[in-house]
């Protein structure tokens, strides 16, 4: 059983995600990485999606009785995921012309709809995030027609509004048929480039859709995926995850670097449905990337930036963050602690508005050679994700879903912005929560306890509070954390 | 999934057929190729089993993804010997490509040393159900067993039977040129 009381750092990451989710539309402060145009692995879509995945993991495994803390945050993150700044790169990337597929550029065209073909590196996140929300909260918010709409209009250029309407079901259906039509090898990211990594979120999405609506598409897709990749091998000649396969030539691109992010990202996600395989290869793979420091600290050795066509590839690799996330999924506490200790010592942990993050730093190393380089994806998202995850956290989301009884138990159904929740779980029918009112952000300082049974006894910090069946609004006093106990 | 499907092919008697040819009838559509050693024999046998006990049956069609080898004669000989309920459909490569697109079928030729001609055509093994209006309304993955397909067909076609006011769904609009059983 994971610890069910969050520590200061875990709470700080949750607060930082809450703060980022509340930024004004199109305010991407603290989230800009090195790459231009949202092309690379540090793009907003990845930061938003993995904040949401981290929230899902924290809710499922750490604070299961605090839906009111997580649900609004997830909704705000999904709203941001739909903003044009996040997906408009596809208008350009859809035309092809990358070094991998320059030969296709003359038959591709500008495509505005960001999910209609290829681009699984975006579409699967919209799909899986919406489904995570609806699954974890027994909701149908994203089943509503048009609830996942991609819209853009400019006063300055481009003519009529671009509007593409989907919902969780139509998007899931669309991705499923793309997968079928590609022989289950996966859907491409950039045209012609089918990455193993980016098809894993779609598989998670199929599983969640099965859980919500019935059916067994995830099993079908996984079986097809296994058969399709058997032709290529999921691992390359050196035992690292094959990065991608070209749709037309069926040429496999190995993890040449080898780059830590390829193995770590793929391994963390693939653990959902392929745990034994991932765990079998993890120890050898991760050992290739770790650099021991003093006092048990560990850092990650990135592969040198590649040069292609005389150009150095500028990209946020997010190597440190992905290896930490991978180690957390594997339950490798030694590696995770080593990485987090290194980050806290050399990567400038920063507190702002009650939130914890590690700000972007492009300097590779300090004078003593300690890695200091960190990207927004790692500093905003992945280190927090790794701290909040538990061993087999994603596996649990996929394989140990909540049953309907979960949604009948008492829970914190509304949590004001200025209330910090470090414990929220139901043990033997009794709701236990620990809360603190913080002063760094505005708020009303209350929580609402919902699904309260008739005659239940509610005790806050040792004092009885009158209850009625249904819900009770509880003021959280300023000062140290207080415990709430609701006994049926 | 409820799109109108369109195709323009030749049946295994050499008669040109389109989606319009079958309008008014339920279709069960399987793609494959006659030289397929594992997937197609298993799928066709399963579909035969699913259809065995049914009173109201869809028209079973078997569309080749290997038009270079699967001429009408080859298809007819193959199906009449082992799966006589099925009508085979073929066409030129362009016609087959359009049919694959209509049903979102993956198929891709690859070398196969065990095949006398040196190649196989791995393909999607999903079975599609097309309603009398020509819309894809259901599908079954390769892993779905015969009894579940049969149960789904009973439910689907029985509902249609009632809505058609007594007219059997498999015979409401027989068209000239269609030789399906």
């Amino acid at each position: 059983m994971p610890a069910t009381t969050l520590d200061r750092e875990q709470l700080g990451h949750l607060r930082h995600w809450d703060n980022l989710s509340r930024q004004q539309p199109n305010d991407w402060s603290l989230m800009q990485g090195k790459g231009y145009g949202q092309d690379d692995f540090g793009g907003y879509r990845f930061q938003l999606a993995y904040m949401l995945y981290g929230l899902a993991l924290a809710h499922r495994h750490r604070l299961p009785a605090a839906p009111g803390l997580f649900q609004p945050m997830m909704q705000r993150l999904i709203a941001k995921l739909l903003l044009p700044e996040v997906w408009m790169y596809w208008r350009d990337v859809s035309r092809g012309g990358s070094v991998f597929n320059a030969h296709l550029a003359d038959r591709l065209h500008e495509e505005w709809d960001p999910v209609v073909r290829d681009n699984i590196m975006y579409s699967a996140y919209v799909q899986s995030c919406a489904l995570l929300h609806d699954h974890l909260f027994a909701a149908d918010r994203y089943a509503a027609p048009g609830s996942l709409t991609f819209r853009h209009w400019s006063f300055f250029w481009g003519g009529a509004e671009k509007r593409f309407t989907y919902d969780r079901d139509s998007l899931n259906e669309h991705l499923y048929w793309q997968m079928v039509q590609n022989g289950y090898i996966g859907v491409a990211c950039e045209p012609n480039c089918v990455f193993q990594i980016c098809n894993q979120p779609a598989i998670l999405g199929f599983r969640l859709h099965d859980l919500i609506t019935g059916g067994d598409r995830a099993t079908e897709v996984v079986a097809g995926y296994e058969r399709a990749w058997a032709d290529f091998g999921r691992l390359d000649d050196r035992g690292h995850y094959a990065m991608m396969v070209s749709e037309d030539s069926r040429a496999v691109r190995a993890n040449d670097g080898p780059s830590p992010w390829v193995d770590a990202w793929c391994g963390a996600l693939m653990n959902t449905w392929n745990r034994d395989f991932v765990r079998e290869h993890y120890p050898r793979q991760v050992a290739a990337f770790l650099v021991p420091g003093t006092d048990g600290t560990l850092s990650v050795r990135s592969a040198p930036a590649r040069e292609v066509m005389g150009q150095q590839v500028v990209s946020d690799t997010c190597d440190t963050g992905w290896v930490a996330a991978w180690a957390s999924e594997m339950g490798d506490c030694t590696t995770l602690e080593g990485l987090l200790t290194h980050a806290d010592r050399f990567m400038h942990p920063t507190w702002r508005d009650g939130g914890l993050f590690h700000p972007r730093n492009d300097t590779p190393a300090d004078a003593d050679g300690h890695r200091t380089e960190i990207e927004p994806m790692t500093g905003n998202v992945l280190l927090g994700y790794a701290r909040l995850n538990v061993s087999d956290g994603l596996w649990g989301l996929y394989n140990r879903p909540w049953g309907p009884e979960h949604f009948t138990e008492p829970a914190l159904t509304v949590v004001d912005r200025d209330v910090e929740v470090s414990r929220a779980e139901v043990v033997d029918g009794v709701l236990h929560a620990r809360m603190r009112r913080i002063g760094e952000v505005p708020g009303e300082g209350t929580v609402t306890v919902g699904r309260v049974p008739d005659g239940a006894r509610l005790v806050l910090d040792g004092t009885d509070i009158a209850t009625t069946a249904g819900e009770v609004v509880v003021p959280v006093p300023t000062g140290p954390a207080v415990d709430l106990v609701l006994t049926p | 999934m409820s799109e109108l499907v369109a195709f323009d092919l030749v049946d295994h008697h050499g008669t040109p057929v389109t989606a319009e040819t079958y309008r008014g009838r339920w279709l069960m559509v399987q793609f494959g190729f006659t030289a397929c050693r594992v997937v197609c024999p298993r799928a066709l046998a399963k579909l035969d089993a699913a259809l065995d006990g049914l009173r109201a049956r869809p028209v079973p069609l078997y569309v080749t993804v290997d038009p270079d080898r699967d001429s009408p004669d080859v298809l007819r000989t193959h199906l009449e010997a082992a799966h006589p309920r099925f009508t085979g459909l073929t066409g030129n490569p362009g016609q087959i490509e359009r049919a694959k697109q209509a049903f979102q079928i993956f198929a891709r030729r690859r070398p196969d040393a065990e095949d006398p001609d040196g190649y196989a055509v791995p393909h999607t093994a999903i079975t599609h159900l097309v309603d009398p209006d020509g819309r894809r309304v259901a599908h079954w993955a390769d892993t779905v067993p015969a009894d579940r397909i049969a149960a789904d067909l009973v439910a689907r076609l029985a509902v249609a039977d009632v809505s058609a006011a007594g007219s059997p769904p498999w015979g409401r609009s027989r068209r000239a040129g269609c030789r399906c059983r």
Side-chain angles (χ1 to χ4, degrees):
Chain A
M1 282 289 289
T4 54
T5 303
L6 301 190
D7 62 24
R8 179 172 175 264
E9 285 74 22
Q10 290 170 322
L11 290 166
H13 288 297
L14 282 181
R15 177 64 58 186
H16 183 59
W17 294 351
D18 187 71
N19 292 341
L20 292 178
S21 77
R22 292 175 188 272
Q23 293 191 142
Q24 300 295 307
N26 214 33
D27 178 357
W28 306 104
S29 302
L30 302 176
M31 297 176 72
Q32 295 98 337
K34 285 198 289 288
Y36 298 102
Q38 298 301 305
D39 291 341
D40 78 331
F41 308 115
Y44 302 147
R45 63 188 179 283
F46 297 119
Q47 293 187 58
L48 296 166
Y50 284 99
M51 277 189 259
L52 192 141
Y53 276 36
L55 291 172
L57 292 165
H59 184 35
R60 172 65 182 80
H61 300 297
R62 303 277 191 188
L63 302 175
L69 174 68
F70 295 99
Q71 188 171 17
M73 222 187 308
M74 286 193 182
Q75 291 175 5
R76 289 193 295 270
L77 291 170
I78 291 172
K80 288 187 179 297
L81 193 57
L82 300 177
L83 291 177
E85 201 75 7
V86 176
W87 52 263
M88 268 182 54
Y89 69 91
W90 186 243
R91 176 196 56 183
D92 300 323
V93 176
S94 61
R95 296 186 304 175
S98 84
V99 292
F100 298 125
N101 57 24
H103 60 292
L104 300 176
D106 58 350
R107 71 172 176 81
L108 295 170
H109 61 87
E110 176 182 291
E111 175 60 72
W112 273 83
D113 183 337
V115 302
V116 72
R117 71 165 162 89
D118 302 335
N119 202 18
I120 197 76
M121 58 188 168
Y122 173 68
S123 57
Y125 290 108
V126 180
Q127 169 225 22
S128 56
C129 286
L131 287 162
L132 273 170
H133 173 279
D134 283 4
H135 167 63
L136 288 173
F137 304 111
D140 56 6
R141 178 183 179 90
Y142 298 106
S147 53
L148 299 172
T149 291
F150 311 100
R151 177 193 170 276
H152 178 266
W153 179 77
S154 171
F155 175 67
F156 302 99
W157 62 279
E161 176 196 48
K162 309 286 192 298
R163 177 185 284 268
F164 310 100
T165 57
Y166 293 84
D167 54 62
R168 74 175 191 206
D169 302 314
S170 62
L171 181 57
N172 193 73
E173 186 79 359
H174 182 67
L175 297 188
Y176 168 75
W177 283 104
Q178 283 192 79
M179 192 74 84
V180 169
Q181 206 161 3
N182 286 351
Y184 298 105
I185 192 173
V187 181
C189 289
E190 293 84 4
N192 202 35
C193 302
V194 180
F195 282 79
Q196 286 211 86
I197 292 166
C198 296
N199 281 275
Q200 306 308 314
I203 292 173
L204 172 62
F206 295 137
R207 170 65 174 156
L208 294 165
H209 196 265
D210 289 342
L211 291 170
I212 293 170
T213 65
D216 201 13
R217 285 194 172 170
T219 304
E220 175 200 333
V221 168
V222 164
Y225 183 86
E226 291 261 57
R227 280 197 302 271
W229 275 86
D231 289 347
F232 311 115
R234 274 195 300 265
L235 302 181
D236 63 22
D237 291 344
R238 293 187 296 173
H240 297 285
Y241 286 100
M243 188 168 69
M244 54 161 269
V245 60
S246 296
E247 238 175 334
D248 58 355
S249 66
R250 283 338 206 211
V252 175
R253 185 165 292 274
N255 181 7
D256 286 330
S259 294
W261 64 268
V262 175
D263 284 7
W265 195 350
C266 193
L269 295 180
M270 195 182 279
N271 197 52
T272 49
W273 60 269
N274 203 14
R275 182 169 66 166
D276 291 346
F277 180 88
V278 169
R279 285 182 172 276
E280 177 189 347
H281 296 282
Y282 167 78
R284 175 183 46 76
Q285 291 170 328
V286 76
F289 304 129
L290 297 175
V291 179
T294 54
D295 308 332
T297 61
L298 291 167
S299 59
V300 176
R301 180 191 302 110
S302 290
R306 287 190 307 152
E307 290 208 4
V308 180
M309 300 167 72
Q311 308 284 325
Q312 188 171 68
V313 176
V314 175
S315 173
D316 280 353
T317 67
C318 317
D319 283 326
T320 300
W322 277 118
V323 174
W326 189 25
S328 72
E329 183 71 18
M330 296 295 98
D332 179 358
C333 297
T334 304
T335 297
L336 179 59
E337 281 305 309
L339 293 169
L340 293 174
T341 305
H342 176 97
D344 288 341
R345 193 172 297 171
F346 301 110
M347 293 176 167
H348 197 54
T350 300
W351 290 83
R352 182 169 124 169
D353 296 334
L356 171 63
F357 67 106
H358 296 70
R360 169 179 165 178
N361 184 356
D362 294 352
T363 305
D366 66 15
D368 298 319
H370 302 112
R371 178 173 180 144
T372 52
E373 182 181 13
I374 185 168
E375 319 81 356
M377 176 69 176
T378 296
N380 284 329
V381 183
L382 291 174
L383 294 181
Y385 174 110
R387 275 198 169 103
L388 286 159
N389 193 16
V390 301
S391 180
D392 282 328
L394 283 173
W395 182 90
L397 271 178
Y398 193 99
N399 295 283
R400 296 279 186 268
W402 278 328
E405 69 285 354
H406 170 80
F407 302 99
T408 66
E409 293 175 342
L412 305 181
T413 52
V414 181
V415 177
D416 279 343
R417 183 180 180 185
D418 58 343
V419 174
E420 182 181 86
V421 179
S422 54
R423 185 186 183 197
E425 61 181 331
V426 174
V427 180
D428 297 331
V430 178
L431 170 65
H432 297 269
R434 179 168 295 169
M435 304 165 301
R436 185 172 75 96
R437 188 171 185 186
I438 64 169
E440 290 92 334
V441 294
E444 300 300 315
T446 69
V447 297
T448 301
V449 183
R451 306 194 286 253
V452 176
D454 194 19
R457 181 185 180 205
L458 177 61
V459 177
L460 179 70
D461 197 23
T463 303
D464 274 276
I465 292 180
T467 67
T468 54
E471 60 180 38
V472 181
V473 178
V474 179
V476 179
T478 53
V482 293
D483 287 322
L484 177 152
V485 180
L486 180 85
T487 309
Chain B
M1 181 184 66
S2 186
E3 305 96 350
L4 273 175
V5 290
F7 56 84
D8 171 16
L9 297 165
V10 178
D11 76 10
H12 69 211
H13 300 286
T15 305
V17 294
T18 69
E20 283 297 315
T21 307
Y22 299 99
R23 196 55 51 86
R25 314 178 72 191
W26 289 88
L27 306 179
M28 173 188 273
V29 183
Q30 180 77 26
F31 283 70
F33 64 113
T34 60
C36 180
R37 293 191 298 275
V38 177
V39 174
C40 287
R42 184 181 66 211
L44 292 174
K46 180 182 75 176
L47 296 176
D48 275 334
L51 296 172
D52 272 346
L54 301 184
R55 186 180 67 88
R57 294 185 186 123
V59 176
L61 299 176
Y62 181 61
V63 185
T64 186
V65 294
D66 185 12
D68 290 348
R69 288 190 290 197
D70 286 342
S71 65
D73 284 347
V74 169
L75 276 168
R76 189 178 66 249
T77 303
H78 178 80
L79 291 172
E80 286 184 350
H83 309 284
R85 278 200 191 94
F86 279 81
T87 296
L89 302 182
T90 186
N92 63 42
Q95 289 173 306
I96 294 298
E97 194 55 41
R98 287 192 292 278
K100 283 164 52 185
Q101 288 291 328
F103 285 89
Q104 295 178 280
I105 294 295
F106 168 82
R108 186 185 181 97
R109 186 185 290 204
R110 74 166 185 202
D112 182 348
E114 292 181 39
D115 188 283
D117 297 317
Y119 73 90
V121 193
H123 59 89
T124 307
I126 284 175
T127 307
H128 295 272
L129 184 66
V130 178
D131 75 5
D133 295 327
R135 296 181 186 280
R136 285 163 60 198
V137 292
H139 72 278
W140 299 277
D142 191 32
T143 51
V144 177
D147 57 351
R148 206 181 108 195
I149 294 174
D152 289 349
L153 285 171
V154 167
R156 288 262 181 190
L157 274 63
V159 169
D161 204 357
V162 170
S163 68
S167 175
W170 62 96
R172 275 164 42 204
S173 177
R174 286 191 182 276
R175 306 280 175 115
C178 175
R179 296 162 191 247
C180 301
R181 291 162 182 83

